[in-house]
Amino acid sequence: MVWRLFAPQYIFDMTQLIVVDVLSVLVLALTMRWGSYAFVDTTTA
Amino acid sequence: MRSGMCAYNLLMCTGLFSNSFLEAQAPALLFLGQTIVLGTGLYAVRLGMGRGAFQTILIAAVSRVSKEAAENVNRAGEVVLPSFMDVELIYRVALPLFLIAGVWGWWLRKTHRSIFSRPTADYPLELTGFGRVLLFMILPFELLCVMGFWTLQTQSGADTVYRSMSLIFPWGVYMSVVAVVARLLWHPVLVRCKDSPQTPLSMAHTAAHFALTMSILAAVFLGAVCLVLGVRAAWVVACLSVQLLLWLDFSRSMQLRVFLLSSQSLADGARAGTPQDQRARLLPVRVADCCVWGFFTLWYFYASGHVCSFGALHIEAAFVGFEKFYFLPGGFLLLLDTYGPGHGMCLLLLPVLVAVASRTSATRRAAARAHGEGVEFVRRVAQALAGYQFLFSFQFVSQPSWGCCVVLFQLTACPGMHCGVCVLCAEAPDGVAAIRPAVHI
């Protein structure tokens, strides 16, 4: 039973999920960074 | 987007019950993807878009080419290219690289034009110096490095002098990726007003500008992926670029068409012009967007010569630019090789898909009026990213013991990320809280 947890298929699936999670957080950080520049309200400052 | 994610997950879950889908996922993915692309083409014909239908046929045809290219990647044996100035060298190395440069140049130029073709008489815009370098020089530079590396590495008479010389080229690519990412995180704006560089951009330019920034980032990333995958996968990377960018263009023109049709019927006084109707008309496009993105991701994982087994890892990818194996850089290059072409590229181009899709929707405009344009846009991107993460969690359903944990984790993490963004946008004292539309043209 336990060995099935370490089958390559699941390890690859898990890695892909981790890669997607990490990358999407990076992309989101860039989006928010970009957003904070593009929309900064300098007219009232 | 949400409905599209649901449709995709439903398809994948149904697929998990079929043994043949698990056994032969790659061909099944290709077939399903082509079917959905061509089906959307039929919908485009119904909406009276001949060009869109032609584009879908082209995308499906490129899928066929990518299948041939994928078979070439998996062929055993060391790559030995013929000597300089041979026709085969041009066909195997130069042609795909020119195709990549051409299709990215076309897309970047198109996005660039969509910013500058707007009426900006009282607000003349220009690219910043760095923006100009990024737009016109960085990808050709990377591809030249890649071409130099491949030709020096794989010459039939390559000796040690050639090999040590060739190590300069990968570092050119790595340094340009690091420089671009660092610069975009430090100051991500590539367009400024000619007269007063401090003036922020208008609402009208935000989505197009964001699409440009993310496309440049994806292009730079593609250079590194192309380098690491090696000369055999050159045609696969070319097919990937053509398919993703053509689909982005197709999706953009479909959204525009639906918007035009709706506003036309609104002008005629028909009931068909309401936002609900627009949403109903856009539904097939959104579902197709998500399904196609999911299928492209997994298909290019397989097409670039990977399968889910450790023996099939491309160990040689860890040595691109290094003489020995170093754990961290080598591991990172291995990750880039394995998940770069499918997951990395689709993820980097996903915000572009959101940007080109969110320009015309009436519901988005209403929401943007309520929350502010910037907040609404960042929320849309967060939602799409969360949904994209979720696409891959259902792969675990067939493995009950930790599959349930993973699905539960994603079930909480994805909305968590989305809510976190909403809270940050609404309440943080500075930074993102300052996201307000400042100038209206």
Side-chain angles (χ1 to χ4, degrees):
Chain A
M1 279 309 277
V2 178
W3 68 267
R4 281 194 62 192
L5 287 178
F6 301 99
Q9 174 80 45
Y10 297 112
I11 292 177
F12 269 81
D13 282 354
M14 187 56 105
T15 326
Q16 103 178 334
L17 202 60
I18 293 168
V19 166
V20 165
D21 283 6
V22 170
L23 254 181
S24 64
V25 168
L26 281 180
V27 169
L28 190 64
L30 189 73
T31 312
M32 294 180 79
R33 183 89 183 111
W34 174 86
S36 72
Y37 264 94
F39 298 98
V40 148
D41 188 357
T42 49
T43 49
T44 53
Chain B
M1 271 299 180
R2 222 170 304 156
S3 43
M5 299 293 175
C6 293
Y8 178 86
N9 276 327
L10 209 66
L11 259 175
M12 289 308 268
C13 284
T14 325
L16 286 173
F17 287 111
S18 120
N19 204 29
S20 58
F21 184 72
L22 289 179
E23 290 293 317
Q25 201 180 17
L29 280 171
L30 190 66
F31 174 73
L32 273 174
Q34 271 174 326
T35 313
I36 287 171
V37 166
L38 289 175
T40 325
L42 283 179
Y43 186 64
V45 171
R46 229 189 99 197
L47 291 183
M49 276 184 60
R51 185 168 160 271
F54 175 70
Q55 274 177 329
T56 52
I57 292 172
L58 203 60
I59 293 171
V62 173
S63 296
R64 185 78 191 91
V65 178
S66 73
K67 197 182 168 205
E68 300 280 332
E71 280 161 15
N72 192 30
V73 174
N74 289 324
R75 202 174 298 156
E78 202 189 336
V79 187
V80 178
L81 284 179
S83 60
F84 291 107
M85 303 309 291
D86 197 305
V87 182
E88 210 192 330
L89 191 73
I90 294 173
Y91 169 73
R92 279 168 65 181
V93 181
L95 206 59
L97 290 185
F98 275 123
L99 188 62
I100 293 170
V103 72
W104 278 96
W106 165 76
W107 172 253
L108 289 177
R109 200 179 156 78
K110 207 174 163 71
T111 330
H112 170 249
R113 276 213 184 137
S114 70
I115 298 177
F116 290 93
S117 65
R118 286 159 197 273
T120 51
D122 51 339
Y123 241 94
L125 291 172
E126 62 176 1
L127 274 176
T128 59
F130 192 71
R132 224 168 271 146
V133 171
L134 278 186
L135 198 60
F136 302 116
M137 282 162 69
I138 201 97
L139 186 63
F141 167 74
E142 280 192 351
L143 292 180
L144 275 179
C145 284
V146 170
M147 203 189 277
F149 178 66
W150 286 348
T151 39
L152 281 188
Q153 278 275 307
T154 55
Q155 284 302 311
S156 41
D159 51 20
T160 44
V161 182
Y162 269 161
R163 290 209 173 241
S164 50
M165 248 169 65
S166 69
L167 291 185
I168 306 165
F169 292 113
W171 280 94
V173 177
Y174 299 152
M175 283 299 116
S176 48
V177 173
V178 169
V180 169
V181 172
R183 168 59 165 75
L184 286 182
L185 279 173
W186 174 53
H187 186 90
V189 175
L190 302 175
V191 177
R192 64 175 176 217
C193 298
K194 245 180 199 162
D195 305 329
S196 53
Q198 291 306 313
T199 315
L201 293 167
S202 75
M203 280 166 66
H205 297 97
T206 50
H209 179 204
F210 184 70
L212 183 73
T213 312
M214 287 311 291
S215 303
I216 287 174
L217 193 67
V220 171
F221 184 76
L222 185 90
V225 167
C226 193
L227 173 83
V228 168
L229 276 178
V231 64
R232 274 208 190 113
W235 275 106
V236 173
V237 177
C239 290
L240 166 81
S241 316
V242 171
Q243 280 197 313
L244 289 181
L245 296 184
L246 265 185
W247 182 267
L248 280 178
D249 189 44
F250 168 73
S251 178
R252 166 155 72 183
S253 45
M254 283 288 277
Q255 310 270 353
L256 206 63
R257 179 78 191 165
V258 168
F259 177 65
L260 279 178
L261 282 175
S262 303
S263 55
Q264 202 175 9
S265 44
L266 195 67
D268 293 344
R271 231 189 125 264
T274 55
Q276 283 80 14
D277 169 67
Q278 206 181 43
R279 206 187 292 169
R281 269 194 175 144
L282 275 176
L283 186 65
V285 186
R286 297 235 195 281
V287 170
D289 272 349
C290 297
C291 292
V292 162
W293 232 238
F295 287 132
F296 278 173
T297 304
L298 289 175
W299 165 241
Y300 278 103
F301 172 76
Y302 290 113
S304 52
H306 300 99
V307 283
C308 294
S309 94
F310 295 109
L313 279 177
H314 297 176
I315 303 294
E316 69 274 13
F319 292 93
V320 176
F322 297 95
E323 293 275 13
K324 300 190 285 184
F325 181 81
Y326 296 99
F327 186 76
L328 273 181
F332 186 74
L333 288 178
L334 216 55
L335 265 184
L336 187 69
D337 175 85
T338 311
Y339 295 108
H343 302 75
M345 282 310 293
C346 288
L347 196 66
L348 282 179
L349 284 177
L350 187 72
V352 183
L353 191 66
V354 177
V356 300
S358 69
R359 281 164 68 199
T360 48
S361 148
T363 44
R364 188 199 69 98
R365 271 160 202 265
R369 265 197 296 278
H371 304 121
E373 180 86 4
V375 175
E376 181 53 27
F377 188 73
V378 175
R379 260 177 49 174
R380 290 242 150 197
V381 174
Q383 200 180 355
L385 288 173
Y388 187 76
Q389 292 178 1
F390 203 54
L391 290 189
F392 300 102
S393 62
F394 270 97
Q395 307 244 329
F396 295 91
V397 170
S398 57
Q399 224 303 347
S401 45
W402 81 3
C404 293
C405 302
V406 169
V407 173
L408 273 178
F409 171 73
Q410 289 290 324
L411 266 175
T412 49
C414 296
M417 188 169 108
H418 181 53
C419 293
V421 168
C422 296
V423 169
L424 266 179
C425 286
E427 285 172 11
D430 48 34
V432 191
I435 299 179
R436 298 268 185 285
V439 183
H440 304 257
I441 292 180

